[in-house]
Amino acid sequence: VLVVVNATGPEVIDTNQNGMHGDYALLDAKGGTFVHAKFSILDKNRKPIIIPELDITFFDLDSHSAGKEAEFVKIKKPDSHFHTKGSLVDISEGTDGYVTFKATVAGTYTDNPTDPLLLTTTQKHKAVTVRYLNTGSFEAELGSTTGGAGGWRGFLFVFRPSLLCAKTTDGEDPDIEEEKKATTTTTTLPETTTTTVEEKQCWFTIPIINFCFPKLF
């Protein structure tokens, strides 16, 4: 399975930082801006396929030390999403069909997680897991609000439901709450495409599912 990501944004993406960081994939966005990414799932022949259940966990959503620039993940409404009962992430739904997960507390690189299956209580409170059912693609915006000191904001994520399966390393597991999308009669099919992506045009691949970030220049 190949996950192809087409990313665009108001600023040039920092390709020097994007890639695998330990067990995590990372995508950078310039502070105060965002990157819009479309994730398309293809088979080995570059043809669209449907995944029965797709889980993505975003980690370490925090703000600048001054508290004025908050990281956010704005994602096309998933079938459900998970967060801790004491979550440090603000969750809101817009009229545009997106759910926004925004940081509420400051953090630094020293509190970044290093293992998606071994997390502290605080690391779980600053993470969210989203789930799509029977999908072949999804869209997300990763960025931060204005008011910070500039620089780049890094977004760590994995394709697994880490909030549901990670061990809590510093105490009891926090309660996990699930919020499901309201049931409708509308059926959305994944968008098909005839575009192919050469392996050499990938920024990096993620093991197991060969996650691919295509080069934009």
Side-chain angles (χ1 to χ4, degrees), residues 7-212:
T8 59
E11 297 283 346
V12 175
I13 298 171
D14 185 8
T15 58
N16 293 322
Q17 292 297 319
N18 293 322
M20 294 302 299
H21 288 249
D23 293 323
Y24 299 87
L26 179 143
L27 186 61
D28 269 357
K30 187 76 177 292
T33 71
F34 66 89
V35 171
H36 186 101
K38 180 175 181 180
F39 300 73
S40 301
I41 305 169
L42 312 178
D43 64 16
K44 64 180 181 180
N45 296 315
R46 305 294 196 274
K47 294 183 178 180
I49 59 174
I50 300 297
I51 298 295
E53 182 177 294
L54 180 64
D55 296 299
I56 313 100
T57 301
F58 297 92
F59 300 87
D60 195 45
L61 292 174
D62 52 29
S63 62
H64 188 267
S65 58
K68 296 182 179 180
E69 181 187 338
E71 294 176 345
F72 65 83
V73 173
K74 183 178 179 181
I75 193 164
K76 194 73 172 180
K77 194 168 186 178
D79 288 277
S80 62
H81 58 268
F82 303 84
H83 56 85
T84 63
K85 189 174 182 179
S87 179
L88 298 174
V89 177
D90 179 72
I91 302 172
S92 61
E93 295 187 19
T95 58
D96 56 358
Y98 281 78
V99 178
T100 299
F101 305 95
K102 188 171 73 172
T104 63
V105 297
T108 68
Y109 73 91
T110 60
D111 58 16
N112 290 357
T114 58
D115 187 331
L117 295 179
L118 296 173
L119 302 172
T120 67
T121 302
T122 299
Q123 287 170 346
K124 285 191 173 184
H125 287 329
K126 294 164 68 174
V128 294
T129 292
V130 299
R131 173 172 291 170
Y132 287 97
L133 302 176
N134 301 312
T135 190
S137 65
F138 67 94
E139 296 181 39
E141 290 182 2
L142 302 89
S144 61
T145 59
T146 58
W152 297 86
R153 307 298 294 188
F155 294 86
L156 298 170
F157 55 95
V158 297
F159 277 75
R160 62 174 55 171
S162 291
L163 274 187
L164 305 182
C165 56
K167 179 180 178 180
T168 305
T169 60
D170 61 350
E172 296 184 1
D173 292 333
D175 292 335
I176 303 298
E177 298 182 345
E178 178 183 14
E179 297 187 31
K180 294 185 177 181
K181 180 172 66 175
T183 303
T184 67
T185 58
T186 301
T187 301
T188 302
L189 298 177
E191 181 181 345
T192 59
T193 177
T194 58
T195 302
T196 60
V197 180
E198 297 292 337
E199 288 288 345
K200 64 182 180 180
Q201 293 301 312
C202 292
W203 274 336
F204 60 93
T205 60
I206 296 177
I208 302 178
I209 62 171
N210 292 329
F211 195 100
C212 165

